[in-house]
Amino acid sequence: MSYEHIRFSVADRVATLELHRPEARNGFTVKMADELADALSAADADEGVRVVILTGAGKDFCVGADLSGSSLEVTQTQAPEGDWVEPATRVTRQMFALRKPIIAAIQGAAVGVGSTMILPADFRLAAKTSRFGFVFSRRGIYPEAGSSWFLPRIVGMGRALDWMVSGRLIPAEEALGAGLVRSLHEPEALLDAAHALARELVETTAPVSVAVIRQALYRMSALPSPEPAFELDSQLIASLGESADALEGVMAFMQKRPAKFSRTVTQDLPAFLPWREHP
């Protein structure tokens, strides 16, 4: 696929999406948003892809929206239209709905949309020199990309209030301590760590199980009662008798060998998943 503001590649069942405007420190544009959404959709539909890595070219992940000229293309005439979706949400909505795990590898500055964009990732790995910032209050604007929903679920309401209301920059060590990132790495080792994690996921996990678990955690944990989760879990466990993956997983464990899972997210997701009615 040919894109202008990102690079997209697939190797060893891992799709890599790289923000590719290093001359602008990967400043975020509408074109970048639409290209990311398109590439994420393509990765989700490709059974040859098991994991997605999101990263940025150059020394910075993303310094926020590119405010030069008309790069954001946000005008007062667009906003009132009911079907208009702000650019960052076009990306994170697709990430949220993805049926495959996402690893964000973050180096340098991840500010504004550079921080909100990574929140729906399942794993966030960062360079020791990275820094984050939900700087909207210091620009007289508002958070985007559904970040007011994602961030408190990751770091807690108190921390989310601190970071978003103050708009201050967050060093890598603080991000690690708060649970925003999984681990810190030397900048030159960051991508290797992301690929090592991706290989582990490809080699040891079942794609259908991962797809169900990923969505269930988001959708069930947001409900006011565990009753819908109890009901869904009962349906899922009852369906295991028809699952070749469940049999293979048990046999592989008993025989002390790697499992070879055969079910696919395109063909074998349970039909009764409640969110399948609302893509």
Side-chain angles (χ1 to χ4, degrees):
M1 297 181 184
S2 179
Y3 298 113
E4 292 184 41
H5 288 184
I6 70 169
R7 294 291 182 268
F8 177 77
S9 60
V10 178
D12 300 323
R13 309 203 72 184
V14 177
T16 300
L17 279 65
E18 181 186 62
L19 313 185
H20 199 83
R21 299 186 70 226
E23 75 289 348
R25 303 176 70 191
N26 296 322
F28 191 76
T29 65
V30 169
K31 180 178 286 292
M32 181 182 285
D34 290 339
E35 289 181 351
L36 283 169
D38 185 75
L40 286 163
S41 178
D44 197 47
D46 185 353
E47 285 295 346
V49 171
R50 286 288 320 282
V51 180
V52 173
I53 292 177
L54 175 64
T55 190
K59 295 182 179 180
D60 295 297
F61 176 72
C62 174
V63 295
D66 185 344
L67 302 178
S68 63
S70 58
S71 62
L72 277 184
E73 301 171 19
V74 178
T75 69
Q76 292 181 344
T77 59
Q78 285 178 304
E81 297 179 6
D83 58 352
W84 184 80
V85 177
E86 63 89 12
T89 290
R90 302 176 200 179
V91 179
T92 55
R93 178 179 279 165
Q94 189 72 47
M95 292 173 69
F96 172 81
L98 213 70
R99 297 171 296 182
K100 299 165 186 183
I102 305 168
I103 301 169
I106 307 120
Q107 72 280 8
V111 178
V113 66
S115 281
T116 61
M117 186 197 320
I118 62 176
L119 297 181
D122 303 88
F123 307 90
R124 286 168 294 277
L125 280 58
K128 293 178 179 179
T129 54
S130 62
R131 57 196 184 279
F132 305 84
F134 302 89
V135 298
F136 310 98
S137 65
R138 299 193 177 199
R139 304 291 181 268
I141 57 177
Y142 310 109
E144 83 286 81
S147 53
S148 60
W149 190 88
F150 287 105
L151 186 61
R153 284 169 168 76
I154 297 170
V155 302
M157 182 61 76
R159 190 88 62 163
L161 284 165
D162 172 6
W163 289 356
M164 279 203 172
V165 172
S166 73
R168 64 183 177 85
L169 290 180
I170 304 146
E173 286 290 347
E174 183 177 353
L176 176 66
L180 179 65
V181 300
R182 179 183 194 254
S183 55
L184 298 180
H185 307 269
E186 297 297 338
E188 61 274 14
L190 176 62
L191 272 181
D192 286 343
H195 281 284
L197 175 56
R199 284 195 302 273
E200 179 183 353
L201 295 172
V202 169
E203 293 170 0
T204 63
T205 65
V208 173
S209 294
V210 168
V212 172
I213 290 167
R214 187 179 194 277
Q215 290 297 311
L217 283 170
Y218 269 131
R219 297 172 188 270
M220 295 292 108
S221 65
L223 300 177
S225 164
E227 287 300 328
F230 294 153
E231 181 179 346
L232 176 61
D233 290 352
S234 296
Q235 290 179 287
L236 288 168
I237 299 304
S239 73
L240 290 180
E242 303 171 358
S243 169
D245 279 359
L247 176 60
E248 169 63 10
V250 172
M251 293 302 296
F253 175 76
M254 298 293 291
Q255 296 170 4
K256 297 181 173 58
R257 60 171 175 81
K260 297 181 179 179
F261 298 112
S262 59
R263 302 177 85 205
T264 67
V265 295
T266 303
Q267 299 293 330
D268 299 308
L269 283 178
F272 53 77
L273 295 175
W275 54 85
R276 294 195 70 181
E277 300 175 2
H278 308 285

